[in-house]
Each structure stands twice: as structure tokens, then as C-alpha cells.
Amino acid sequence: NVPISVVPRIVFDRPLDPTTVNADAFRLHSGALTPGGTVRYSLVDRSLTFTPGVTLRTRLAYAARLASGVRGIDGSQPEGPVEIVFVTGSDDRGRPPAPPDPSFAEDILPLVSSRCGTCHAPPNPAGGLALASADDLIAAAARASSQWPGWAILTAGSPERSYLLYKVMDSPGLIGRRMPPDEPLTLDEARRLERWISLGAGR
């Protein structure tokens, strides 16, 4: 009796390797019926969601299947196929509205400058990375990470490829400590940062 407006979601105990997450990473099917939709990966929530592009059919069995190639950032994989089977009812609860887009001036800049700017401020910012002003934060998008070779500090449009987000989430493989060290970001703050990066990391 699953609502026909369901958005299947699978949560992991570690971040995923972003190179293994694509449009087919998590899909729905019912026999030969394969509803189209959108796959979204959240590094902050360590989850994959599949949002169907149509309302599901009533009283029909569906399977939500994780692609076999999806693996953790540490190379780990599930021991076997991951498939969740459910049967819809006739209830349509609707989908919750998307969270509001964060404002750079009101949400992101105050958050980063207050929580990171103390140590990451000119003239000698920690790790050579300044994060105290709007210009610093925008400039970070052009910087390569010195701790994870091949990664950028911020990858506009791709939070899952942005080292800054891994650093604030205390992900496996970090060099040094989680940041900020004394008072980590709350999940809501991290989600706000993730959403800003996904929208292009602009002013």
C-alpha cells in the first residue's frame, strides 16, 4: 500500500564514488515497465533518490534497483544485488516541495565567513585557502585541492566532486581533520552549502 507519489530513496553508510553515479544508478521497473525519472545523489545525506517523472500506477508491484557498478568512495560494493520490491496502493500524498534555494548573500557567505573565515583569512590563511570574503569563496571554485589530487575545492554544479563538502562532512580518506574543527556544520547548514554548489556556486 505504498503511495503512488513515492520517491524511492536508498541511504548508504559511506559516501559514493561520484564516477559510479549516473542516470541509471538507481531505477524503478515493473516487469517491462520502466518509468522515467531523475536520479539525485546527496553527499550530505549519503543517499540516492529516484524521482519518477510520472505518478506510479495503482496496485502494481515495482522494484527499485541499485545498479551493480555503484560503489563507495573507498571502493567498497554491496555483497549482492540491491533491489527493494513494493506494491502501490491508491493513496497519492503528493511530494514535499523542494527546499528554497539558498541566497549567496544571506545564507552562504555568512555561513562560510563566520565558520571558516577565522582560520582561512588573509594574509596567511590556513592551508593557503582563503574563505573569509565573497571574492575568496568564488575564487575557490578555480582552485585545485592540495590534499586530494585531481579534485577541485568547489566544482560548480557538482557538490559530489567538491572537496570542500567532503571536508566539512568528515568523509573517509580526508587529510587532516574535519572542518571546522571545533563546531562542525549542522546537517541543515551542510545541505544549504550542497544546494548552493549544485546550483552553480555563484553569487
Side-chain angles (χ1 to χ4, degrees), residues 126-192:
L129 176 65
L131 294 172
S133 70
D135 289 342
D136 292 339
L137 191 51
I138 298 302
R143 293 275 311 271
S145 169
S146 61
Q147 296 182 341
W148 275 9
W151 286 70
I153 300 295
L154 286 172
T155 302
S158 299
E160 73 281 0
R161 296 176 184 269
S162 300
Y163 182 64
L164 179 64
L165 201 56
Y166 286 83
K167 194 72 172 177
V168 302
M169 291 305 299
D170 196 23
S171 299
L174 288 180
I175 306 298
R177 296 180 294 168
R178 179 181 188 175
M179 294 293 160
D182 299 324
E183 188 182 354
L185 299 188
T186 66
L187 278 178
D188 282 345
E189 289 170 334
R191 288 180 185 123
R192 209 177 307 152

Side-chain angles (χ1 to χ4, degrees), residues 50-131:
F50 178 77
T51 304
V54 295
T55 301
L56 300 185
R57 297 185 184 181
T58 60
R59 296 181 176 81
L60 189 64
Y62 286 89
R65 179 183 295 164
L66 180 69
S68 60
V70 174
R71 63 179 182 268
I73 199 166
D74 58 358
S76 60
Q77 289 182 284
E79 293 181 1
V82 176
E83 188 169 81
I84 304 161
V85 178
F86 62 91
V87 178
T88 56
S90 57
D91 183 19
D92 184 356
R93 299 178 186 172
R95 293 174 183 157
D101 294 341
S103 160
F104 178 76
E106 296 178 10
D107 299 312
I108 302 304
L109 182 58
L111 172 65
V112 176
S113 60
S114 66
R115 303 297 295 283
C116 309
T118 303
C119 298
H120 291 274
N124 297 304
L129 176 65
L131 294 172

Side-chain angles (χ1 to χ4, degrees), residues 34-58:
T34 54
T38 304
V39 175
R40 179 179 175 270
Y41 171 55
S42 169
L43 170 63
V44 172
D45 294 320
R46 295 184 177 178
S47 66
L48 276 176
T49 56
F50 178 77
T51 304
V54 295
T55 301
L56 300 185
R57 297 185 184 181
T58 60

